[in-house]
């Protein structure tokens, strides 16, 4: 079952190797998350893993029956078909034995054969007791694998089997799945700092009431998740409390003034800034300190404009930064959005007709028209918000590639996201 938020994992083939450590039970959750995110998971268990978890579990949760042996299945050469068809091989947990065999080029079972019979990227997630993890032999094997381009998701510190506390606990399922996404994302945004605002601001009327809007923050979070999957470091400036995409730094804010302060500070050294938040345009001039009581009559709330955060970012944009705004419109979508693009000095604007069914605020889906300088224009029909995020960041990539020489064509440019 694919999740409603499509990710970079959709349709990707992940060989999930499970080796014999107590953390094998956590690989169940990793398997489930990968499948939920749309990946095709082919589980491979070592004999050791079967001491900790049953085959049936992985056969039931994976996308195909678990494979455990070079010899017993219908396929006479399972390791080569697994290795050749994989988009990525993930070993979680990776025991000291598997790390050693892989580093030494030793093919002792189906999993280690598969690791040697592939050109796909490999991610290992070591998990073992602290003494084993810190042993020079293990560390040397990990260093060898790293030097060969193998991705290592470091174990965490925490409580281990038997009650000991120390380094060696398998990384969290979130961290492991995020690593798979990053590796499959190809590191296109490696070294970039992406700042994304998300959610609607809340402007206080009194101690309990606010002026708010219907923004869920989901589109901003989807952009943050996609930027992380492409290898960026990401800071989310957010008014909402959604699950944070693994690896994102978070600044929680509430009002337009707080969001402006955070965005101005963070944007100063950001490579890409995406203002997906729905900022209140007006706020009460003065918020009452206590609760306004109803027996005082109908209150008169005097409003003043909030600062236009995005326009401020456009006016102070460092050279080379890509600044992306959103436009929530209910009529004249393209004309209104293009006017905002010009007025706020943006590189891109993502316009949505928030009155259309399934679009924008509070939905899991969105339909947008992305406009750039010149005649750059691209339409993404109704899709999940991650798909929209992919389209937006694909165009950001294109603009970055063209940055210094970006010369918009006089003709209408139609980009297929
Ligand atoms: N925005 C902002 N600060 C504001 C208002 C909007 O930074 N005070 C940003 C939004 O985050 C969005 C873009 O400006 O990226 C456009 O927001 P939108 O609400 O569509 O337009 P407004 O500029 O507020 O104009 P209007 O409400 O008249 O359409």
């Amino acid at each position: 079952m694919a999740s409603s938020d499509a990710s970079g994992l959709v349709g990707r083939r992940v060989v999930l190797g499970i080796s014999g450590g107590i953390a094998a039970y956590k690989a169940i959750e990793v398997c489930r998350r990968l499948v939920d995110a749309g990946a095709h998971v082919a589980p491979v268990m070592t004999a050791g893993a079967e001491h900790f978890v049953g085959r049936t579990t992985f056969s039931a949760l994976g996308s195909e029956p678990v494979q455990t042996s070079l010899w017993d299945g219908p396929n006479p050469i399972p390791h080569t078909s697994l290795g050749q068809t994989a988009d990525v091989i993930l070993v979680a947990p990776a025991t000291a034995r598997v790390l050693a065999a892989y580093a030494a080029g030793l093919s002792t079972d189906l999993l280690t054969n598969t690791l040697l019979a592939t050109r796909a990227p490999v991610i290992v997630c070591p998990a073992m007791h602290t003494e084993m993890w810190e042993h020079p032999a293990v560390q040397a094997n990990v260093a060898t694998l790293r030097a060969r381009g193998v991705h290592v998701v470091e174990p965490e510190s925490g409580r281990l089997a038997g009650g000991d506390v120390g380094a060696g606990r398998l990384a969290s399922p979130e961290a492991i799945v995020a690593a798979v996404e990053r590796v499959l994302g190809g590191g296109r945004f490696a070294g970039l700092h992406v700042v994304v605002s998300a959610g609607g601001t809340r402007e206080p009327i009194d101690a309990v009431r606010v002026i708010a809007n219907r923004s869920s923050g989901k589109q901003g979070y989807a952009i943050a998740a996609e930027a992380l999957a492409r290898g960026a470091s990401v800071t989310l400036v957010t008014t909402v409390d959604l699950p944070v995409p693994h690896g994102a730094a978070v600044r929680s804010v509430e009002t337009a003034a707080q969001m402006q302060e955070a965005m101005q500070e963070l944007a100063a050294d950001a490579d890409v800034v995406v203002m997906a938040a729905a900022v209140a345009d007006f706020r009460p001039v003065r918020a009452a300190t206590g609760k306004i009581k109803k027996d005082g009559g109908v209150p008169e709330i005097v409003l003043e404009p909030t600062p236009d955060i995005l326009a401020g970012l456009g006016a102070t944009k460092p050279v080379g930064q890509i600044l992306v705004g959103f436009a929530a419109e209910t009529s004249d979508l393209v004309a209104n959005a293009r006017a905002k693009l010009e007025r706020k000095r943006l590189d891109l604007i993502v316009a949505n007709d928030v009155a259309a069914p399934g679009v924008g605020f509070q939905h899991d889906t969105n339909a947008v028209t992305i406009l750039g300088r010149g005649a750059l224009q691209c339409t993404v029909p109704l899709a999940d918000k991650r798909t929209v995020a992919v389209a937006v960041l694909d165009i950001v990539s294109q603009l970055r590639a063209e940055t210094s020489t970006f010369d918009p064509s006089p003709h209408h440019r139609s980009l297929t996201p």
Side-chain angles (χ1 to χ4, degrees):
M1 178 194 69
S3 81
S4 59
D5 248 1
S7 68
L9 293 165
V10 175
R12 308 307 294 275
R13 202 177 158 82
V14 181
V15 171
L16 171 60
I18 305 120
S19 58
I22 183 69
Y25 80 91
K26 289 195 196 164
I28 296 168
E29 177 65 11
V30 172
C31 180
R32 195 189 60 78
R33 284 179 185 240
L34 290 169
V35 171
D36 280 356
H40 179 102
V41 178
V44 173
M45 292 173 75
T46 65
E50 290 194 69
H51 288 292
F52 296 95
V53 279
R55 297 178 189 205
T56 319
T57 308
F58 283 101
S59 289
L61 290 175
S63 312
E64 56 183 66
V66 72
Q67 298 190 57
T68 54
S69 164
L70 275 163
W71 317 112
D72 299 341
N75 184 344
I77 41 171
H79 58 299
T80 51
S81 55
L82 281 165
Q84 285 167 356
T85 56
D87 289 309
V88 63
I89 298 183
L90 169 69
V91 187
T95 57
R97 181 191 73 81
V98 166
L99 294 170
Y102 187 25
L106 208 59
S107 52
T108 56
D109 55 14
L110 179 58
L111 178 58
T112 47
N113 271 274
T114 305
L115 286 169
L116 297 179
T118 190
R119 295 201 170 92
V122 174
I123 305 168
V124 294
C125 309
M128 61 201 76
H129 241 70
T130 309
E131 294 84 345
M132 290 175 77
W133 172 242
E134 291 176 350
H135 193 285
V138 173
Q139 287 299 313
N141 288 332
V142 171
T144 300
L145 294 174
R146 262 193 225 280
R148 291 183 190 147
V150 173
H151 303 270
V152 180
V153 181
E154 292 271 334
E156 297 172 350
S157 283
R159 212 165 69 80
L160 302 164
D164 293 348
V165 176
R169 194 168 73 169
L170 184 71
S172 68
E174 293 88 350
I176 294 171
V177 173
V180 176
E181 279 209 73
R182 262 197 315 281
V183 168
L184 289 173
R188 282 169 287 167
F189 277 36
L192 299 188
H193 182 205
V194 177
V195 177
V196 184
S197 70
T201 63
R202 290 184 293 277
E203 310 299 329
I205 295 170
D206 66 9
V208 295
R209 301 177 180 95
V210 294
I211 294 177
N213 62 63
R214 298 183 193 280
S215 170
S216 66
K218 288 177 183 171
Q219 185 62 74
Y221 276 62
I223 290 172
E226 180 59 24
L228 284 161
R230 294 175 186 220
S233 75
V234 173
T235 310
L236 248 177
V237 177
T238 178
T239 66
V240 294
D241 197 14
L242 294 173
V244 176
H246 186 83
V250 171
R251 286 278 190 98
S252 291
V253 296
E254 184 168 4
T255 64
Q258 290 166 356
M259 184 170 278
Q260 182 186 38
E261 194 185 331
M263 290 304 290
Q264 275 180 344
E265 179 199 322
L266 292 162
D269 67 353
D271 301 286
V272 179
V273 176
V274 183
M275 195 67 201
V279 185
D281 287 329
F282 302 99
R283 66 186 168 204
V285 172
R286 212 163 288 105
T289 44
K291 182 183 174 205
I292 300 171
K293 301 298 285 179
K294 68 173 173 244
D295 54 14
V298 178
E300 190 172 296
I301 300 168
V302 183
L303 301 178
E304 65 180 3
T306 55
D308 191 318
I309 304 171
L310 187 56
L313 297 174
T316 55
K317 188 167 87 85
V319 177
Q321 181 181 84
I322 304 286
L323 181 60
V324 183
F326 271 68
E329 306 294 346
T330 50
S331 62
D332 297 328
L333 183 78
V334 171
N336 283 335
R338 197 164 278 293
K340 285 177 192 171
L341 174 89
E342 300 296 338
R343 191 170 72 245
K344 304 193 190 203
R345 300 195 211 173
L346 312 179
D347 299 292
L348 288 178
I349 194 154
V350 183
N352 48 13
D353 175 356
V354 286
V359 174
F361 292 170
Q362 287 183 325
H363 295 288
D364 287 333
T365 49
N366 210 351
V368 302
T369 300
I370 306 170
L371 305 170
R373 304 216 143 258
L376 173 62
Q377 181 166 333
C378 151
T379 298
V380 184
L382 196 64
D384 57 78
K385 289 186 170 175
R386 184 65 180 259
T387 300
V388 172
V390 167
V392 171
L393 294 189
D394 279 352
I395 297 178
V396 167
S397 282
Q398 257 175 271
L399 290 190
R400 279 188 52 81
E402 299 166 1
T403 322
S404 48
T405 53
F406 182 56
D407 177 18
S409 150
H411 307 294
H412 179 89
R413 285 176 58 176
S414 186
L415 302 174
T416 316

